[in-house]
Amino acid sequence: ASCVAYRAVTEKGIPIKLKQFCPENLEPGSVAYVQAEERFYAAYRQQLSMLGDPMLTNITSGLLSLYRDSSDRPWSAVSDSRGKTLDRVLTALPLNAAFRILKQLAESIRAYHDAGWLLLDIKPENILVIDSAGITGVNFFDFDSFLRVQDLQDAIHDRKKLMISSSPVFSAPELQRAPVDLNTVSYACDLYSLG
């Protein structure tokens, strides 16, 4: 775990999600800590670039800010669409409604794939289901694990290592091996997680 997430409200009453960089078992200033912190910033930059992509704007949560607190710890703030995470929604729905949401999720994953991204840590806690004004949709809000397909291909070509994060319950077996063989990482990993 590298972050703690909070729901909050701005002074103007606008609901937001705050994400605090808070890596488990890493000493501040250590090489591993600095690498994890850069990954936190890279995820913010990735999300910002996705928001500028017309294919991904509607399925990517809006960014509000990135800042450091008085102890020099980074935080990010994203809009909170007042939805519920997928794990909380699916258990309360009849099967046909659950399948409609899962179909939207599959279409969203395809949009990210078509735009050249692998998600790699698809889990219900990272997916927001928004049901507002008669419109139901899904929205992703955790981008630490997203990886450009081109970056993966470059790493394989240059024989470099990449830090890949995943969650044991939902991740494809090839992502759970240590070390991960980058040659086995593909769109199929996301399809496994969706399944």
Side-chain angles (χ1 to χ4, degrees):
S2 64
C3 295
V4 178
Y6 302 92
R7 290 188 105 158
V9 177
T10 68
E11 291 174 344
K12 294 182 179 180
I14 299 167
I16 61 172
K17 279 191 175 62
L18 295 173
K19 191 172 182 182
Q20 177 190 32
F21 177 70
C22 188
E24 227 175 72
N25 303 320
L26 293 181
E27 187 66 36
S30 68
V31 172
Y33 184 95
V34 170
Q35 288 173 338
E37 188 176 41
E38 175 49 37
R39 189 178 172 98
F40 180 83
Y41 286 117
Y44 183 88
R45 291 189 296 270
Q46 284 179 183
Q47 189 172 353
L48 200 54
S49 73
M50 289 171 184
L51 284 168
D53 184 331
M55 290 173 50
L56 306 177
T57 299
N58 292 334
I59 55 175
T60 303
S61 56
L63 286 167
L64 301 174
S65 63
L66 182 67
Y67 62 95
R68 288 183 174 274
D69 62 20
S70 59
S71 66
D72 206 34
R73 185 164 290 182
W75 291 69
S76 66
V78 298
S79 60
D80 185 352
S81 302
R82 284 296 182 212
K84 293 182 180 176
T85 54
L86 184 63
D87 55 321
R88 293 174 54 206
V89 170
L90 286 182
T91 57
L93 290 177
L95 194 57
N96 61 344
F99 276 118
R100 276 196 299 276
I101 290 173
L102 292 173
K103 182 178 182 221
Q104 286 183 321
L105 178 57
E107 290 166 351
S108 298
I109 292 168
R110 179 168 185 176
Y112 281 111
H113 286 178
D114 288 347
W117 291 94
L118 293 170
L119 286 67
L120 302 182
D121 194 18
I122 300 171
K123 60 184 176 185
E125 297 87 357
N126 287 349
I127 300 161
L128 197 63
V129 178
I130 301 159
D131 191 354
S132 177
I135 299 170
T136 303
V138 296
N139 196 274
F140 292 84
F141 61 86
D142 190 348
F143 296 85
D144 294 351
S145 64
F146 279 50
L147 177 65
R148 284 191 186 277
V149 173
Q150 187 61 54
D151 292 342
L152 173 66
Q153 292 168 345
D154 291 347
I156 291 169
H157 179 268
D158 298 338
R159 296 184 180 172
K160 291 184 177 175
K161 293 182 179 180
L162 282 177
M163 189 171 164
I164 294 180
S165 63
S166 59
S167 299
V169 174
F170 296 98
S171 293
E174 52 266 41
L175 296 178
Q176 296 184 41
R177 295 188 185 106
V180 173
D181 178 358
L182 296 181
N183 291 298
T184 66
V185 177
S186 69
Y187 295 121
C189 295
D190 289 343
L191 299 180
Y192 178 97
S193 297
L194 175 62

